[in-house]
Amino acid sequence: MKIRRGLSVVNFVLASYSDGAASSPHRFMTEHDVLRFFANVTLFDGHVSPNEVHLTVEGFGARSEGKQLPLDIYDKVALYLILAAKYGVEVKGIYVRKGEAKIRLKPEYAAWVFAAEWHFFSQMLRVGKAMGIGADHVIKKLEKIGKYVEKLAKKIRIEHRLIGDGVVVWFKDEKGNELAHINVRWDGRSLRAVFNGAKENAERLALILNALGAAAEAKKYGNEWYVELTTDSITAIRRPEWLEAVKALVEELHRRGVISKEKRDELIKEIEAGPNAVEVAGVEMSVVAERDNGSKQLVIRYQPTSAEAFDAAVKALKEAEFEEGVHFTAKKPEKVKQGEREIVKPGFIRLKVPAGLWRLEELRRQGVGWAEKAISRLEEIARRRGFYDLVEEHLRLAKEAETVDPRGMIAEDKERGVKAVIKNVKREWDKGRLKIVVEYETNGRTETFSFTWRVETGGGIRASVRLDEEKAAVLAALTGDEKLKGRRGTVTLTPKHLFAMAKIKDVDWVLLRWYAEAKRK
C-alpha cells in the first residue's frame, strides 16, 4: 500500500510537467544531470566496492502511522524508481528491510554514473589527500569510484580520420557504436579540440574526456553547447590511439606548410612528454616555460572557469600556508559581455617564482607528502620538456637552505696575509629589518661586524656593509664571492649574496621568507 501511494504521488508530479512546457522543472534536466545526481547520492549515502554499488535509503525515524512525516522510506524508494525508469538508470535490484532499503546499480552502469561527476570528484580526492585526510571514508570511497572510472576508460574505443587541416576523433563503445566525437585543429598558435552541438552530446563527450584524463566541461555559448580542450588537456589523455591521432594531425600540418619543422618538433615533444600538470595542495596547475622579452620564464598556474573552483583553490592553498601576494597571485573569473552574449572570462592562480617553489621545498622538508610528490613531478615535467635549468635554478636555493654550519669555517686571503676562523653567524631584527651579525677570530682577538637588508625604492633588495681586509675575507668565505676579497670601505650587497647566506644555519629560511615578503606585489 505504501509503495503504491508513493508511486501515485510521483506519477502525478511527473505527469503534471510536459518536457517542453515552460513551467516544467524537468525542461532542462538531461540524462547527464540524473547521472550526476546518482553519483553524489551514492558518494554520500551509498556503498562502493569492486563488485557492488548501491545507495542506501532510510526513513525519517517515525515509528507509527500517526507520527509519519510526508515522505517515508517507501515513498523515497518510489521516487528513486520513477526517476530511474524515466531516465534509464540501470537498477540491478532492490533489497528492503525494516527501516532501510538498498538500491543496487549495475556495476558497468555505475561506471558511467561516476564518470559524469568525475571532474568534480577527482578534485575532491586531490584536495582531500593534500589536506592529509586520506583515511576519511569519503576519500576512501572516491578512490574506489576512481577504479570504476578507470575501467570504463579502458573499454572506450578511439578512432580517427584526417579531414583537411584537422582530425576527427570518434569515441565508441565495445560494439563499435559511436558515443561522441571531437575535432582537433590548429588555431594559428596552438592545438585545440572543439565540439559544438546539443547539450546531451556535449555532456556525454565531456564525461568521456574526463574519464580518459582530460579536464573538460560542457558550456553553453549562444544557442549551442561547446566542449573545448587546450593543448595541456589534449596531452593529458595518454591513450595510444588518441596520441596517434594528434601526432598524425601535427605531421599533416607540417606537410601542408601550416607549421614549420621547428614547431612540428616542439609539438611532437609536448605530445610525447605527456601532461604538464602538478598538484599543489590539491590544486592542479600547469607548468610551462614561456618566453618574455627574449628569455624563458617558468610559469606555474591554474585557470579556473568558475568562482566556486577559484574559491576552493585559493582556500586549499591558504590552508597549506601559501600566502596570497607572497607565494601566489590570483584573479577571480568574471562574467563579461561579448557582443550580445555573456561569457565567463577565466581567472588565474599563479605560483610566484621563486617564492612559491621555496614554500613547496619548505613543506617537503617538514615531511608533507604531497609537497614531495609535487616537487618530484615538477622536476620530471621540466626534464621531459627541456627546461629543467629553470626549475633547478630556483629550487636549488631552497634545497641548499641551512645546509652549512659556519662555526669553525676558515676564511683566508693569502695574497693579503689574512686568516680568520668564523665563530658564529646569527640574525636579528632591527626595526622590522633583517640584520645579519658575523663573529670571527683572528690573531687571538674576536671581532664582529653586521649589515642590515633593506628594500629600496623601486623594489630592489640591498645591504650596505663597511669592510676591511679581514671582514672582506670573512664575507667572501660566507657568500662564496671571491671578488669581495681585498675590498675596503662601504660595499653594497645584492640578492645573490642574500641567497648564498641562506645556506647558513641559524640564518637559513628566515632570509628566504623575508625576501619573499619584501618582493610582495
Side-chain angles (χ1 to χ4, degrees):
M1 176 64 72
K2 291 180 178 178
I3 291 182
R4 284 202 300 272
R5 174 162 54 82
L7 290 172
S8 298
V9 171
V10 177
N11 273 319
F12 174 78
V13 171
L14 293 177
S16 299
Y17 300 99
S18 63
D19 285 343
S23 61
S24 171
H26 302 288
R27 184 163 62 102
F28 301 110
M29 185 176 285
T30 65
E31 181 183 352
H32 187 77
D33 298 324
V34 177
L35 291 175
R36 293 180 61 199
F37 168 74
F38 271 92
N40 282 281
V41 170
T42 305
L43 174 63
F44 294 105
D45 201 9
H47 168 82
V48 180
S49 66
N51 301 311
E52 182 178 335
V53 175
H54 70 250
L55 56 94
T56 305
V57 182
E58 297 179 324
F60 292 99
R63 295 299 180 211
S64 68
E65 290 287 336
K67 294 181 180 179
Q68 270 195 143
L69 293 172
L71 288 176
D72 64 12
I73 185 173
Y74 300 98
D75 297 313
K76 291 166 75 178
V77 170
L79 281 167
Y80 279 117
L81 290 179
I82 290 296
L83 187 64
K86 181 175 177 64
Y87 290 97
V89 177
E90 297 183 17
V91 176
K92 184 178 181 180
I94 302 171
Y95 173 73
V96 182
R97 65 181 183 183
K98 187 177 180 180
E100 181 183 84
K102 294 179 180 178
I103 301 176
R104 291 188 174 95
L105 300 178
K106 291 184 178 180
E108 58 272 18
Y109 183 79
W112 287 95
V113 169
F114 297 142
E117 195 71 336
W118 186 240
H119 180 64
F120 172 59
F121 281 179
S122 60
Q123 292 181 40
M124 288 179 62
L125 182 59
R126 287 195 300 270
V127 172
K129 286 184 173 181
M131 292 173 65
I133 55 176
D136 182 85
H137 75 283
V138 172
I139 301 301
K140 294 284 188 183
K141 197 180 293 184
L142 284 170
E143 290 176 336
K144 294 174 183 177
I145 285 172
K147 298 296 183 183
Y148 274 86
V149 177
E150 286 177 16
K151 288 181 180 179
L152 172 64
K154 290 177 181 178
K155 292 179 179 179
I156 295 172
R157 290 171 51 182
I158 302 175
E159 298 176 6
H160 77 274
R161 182 187 304 160
L162 288 168
I163 300 177
D165 58 353
V167 63
V168 182
V169 181
W170 288 275
F171 304 97
K172 299 183 178 183
D173 63 20
E174 292 178 292
K175 296 180 181 178
N177 300 313
E178 183 182 339
L179 300 170
H181 71 273
I182 194 166
N183 298 289
V184 187
R185 295 187 177 276
W186 176 254
D187 67 1
R189 297 182 61 188
S190 62
L191 292 172
R192 198 165 293 268
V194 180
F195 168 86
N196 64 291
K199 180 181 180 182
E200 292 84 354
N201 296 335
E203 288 176 333
R204 189 183 307 112
L205 173 62
L207 179 157
I208 291 169
L209 293 171
N210 284 321
L212 289 169
E217 290 182 85
K219 299 179 183 179
K220 187 179 182 183
Y221 296 112
N223 296 321
E224 289 192 302
W225 285 77
Y226 286 78
V227 176
E228 187 173 0
L229 298 181
T230 60
T231 303
D232 291 348
S233 288
I234 289 172
T235 59
I237 300 174
R238 304 311 294 165
R239 280 282 293 274
E241 307 97 301
W242 171 266
L243 298 177
E244 180 185 337
V246 181
K247 285 182 180 179
L249 172 60
V250 172
E251 294 292 354
E252 182 65 12
L253 291 171
H254 176 249
R255 190 185 70 81
R256 288 170 172 257
V258 177
I259 60 175
S260 66
K261 180 181 182 299
E262 290 72 25
K263 177 54 71 174
R264 180 199 65 181
D265 294 344
E266 179 185 327
L267 290 171
I268 293 295
K269 187 175 183 178
E270 282 189 40
I271 295 166
E272 291 177 344
N276 64 332
V278 60
E279 290 181 20
V280 178
V283 181
E284 192 170 272
M285 297 185 168
S286 64
V287 183
V288 295
E290 295 185 349
R291 290 203 168 274
D292 184 18
N293 296 325
S295 62
K296 279 187 177 182
Q297 302 291 327
L298 181 64
V299 178
I300 305 171
R301 65 182 166 218
Y302 167 54
Q303 292 182 289
T305 56
S306 69
E308 294 77 13
F310 174 88
D311 291 339
V314 169
K315 183 174 182 290
L317 288 170
K318 288 184 175 180
E319 286 179 347
E321 297 185 15
F322 283 80
E323 187 176 345
E324 186 171 355
V326 176
H327 303 113
F328 71 94
T329 56
K331 183 179 180 182
K332 204 164 191 171
E334 56 182 344
K335 293 181 178 180
V336 297
K337 282 286 187 180
Q338 191 177 75
E340 297 183 356
R341 63 181 182 175
E342 187 179 74
I343 65 169
V344 176
K345 187 176 180 181
F348 69 84
I349 296 173
R350 182 166 172 167
L351 209 62
K352 292 187 70 174
V353 177
L357 295 182
W358 294 346
R359 177 59 186 155
L360 261 183
E361 172 60 19
E362 188 174 11
L363 287 170
R364 186 194 69 79
R365 291 235 197 141
Q366 293 170 6
V368 178
W370 65 258
E372 183 163 356
K373 289 179 181 178
I375 289 177
S376 177
R377 176 67 182 144
L378 179 63
E379 291 178 325
E380 177 189 353
I381 292 169
R383 286 191 185 96
R384 287 186 176 183
R385 292 177 176 257
F387 54 84
Y388 180 74
D389 57 323
L390 294 179
V391 174
E392 195 274 339
E393 173 189 352
H394 300 299
L395 270 180
R396 177 175 49 79
L397 297 173
K399 287 184 175 182
E400 292 178 349
E402 64 174 350
T403 57
V404 175
D405 186 346
R407 291 168 296 185
M409 182 185 293
I410 303 298
E412 190 170 12
D413 183 351
K414 292 182 179 180
E415 182 180 339
R416 297 170 181 84
V418 174
K419 187 174 183 179
V421 178
I422 298 172
K423 305 295 289 183
N424 196 21
V425 180
K426 60 183 180 179
R427 48 180 165 76
E428 297 176 354
W429 292 100
D430 180 14
K431 298 179 181 179
R433 296 190 302 173
L434 189 58
K435 182 179 181 180
I436 305 299
V437 180
V438 181
E439 181 182 346
Y440 67 95
E441 185 179 282
T442 183
N443 298 324
R445 54 187 167 79
T446 299
E447 301 285 348
T448 62
F449 67 95
S450 64
F451 49 93
T452 303
W453 290 100
R454 64 181 184 275
V455 182
E456 296 190 329
T457 303
I461 305 295
R462 298 288 186 271
S464 297
V465 57
R466 288 191 61 83
L467 298 179
D468 55 27
E469 291 180 347
E470 287 180 0
K471 295 180 177 62
V474 169
L475 194 55
L478 290 171
T479 62
D481 185 0
E482 291 291 311
K483 293 182 180 179
L484 289 173
K485 289 182 177 179
R487 299 286 298 274
R488 288 175 170 274
T490 301
V491 174
T492 300
L493 303 180
T494 64
K496 76 172 184 179
H497 299 106
L498 182 149
F499 298 149
M501 295 203 72
K503 299 177 186 178
I504 298 172
K505 291 181 178 181
D506 297 329
V507 176
D508 52 73
W509 285 103
V510 175
L511 264 181
L512 296 181
R513 289 195 204 105
W514 180 85
Y515 179 86
E517 286 277 358
K519 299 298 284 186
R520 175 199 292 267
K521 288 185 179 179

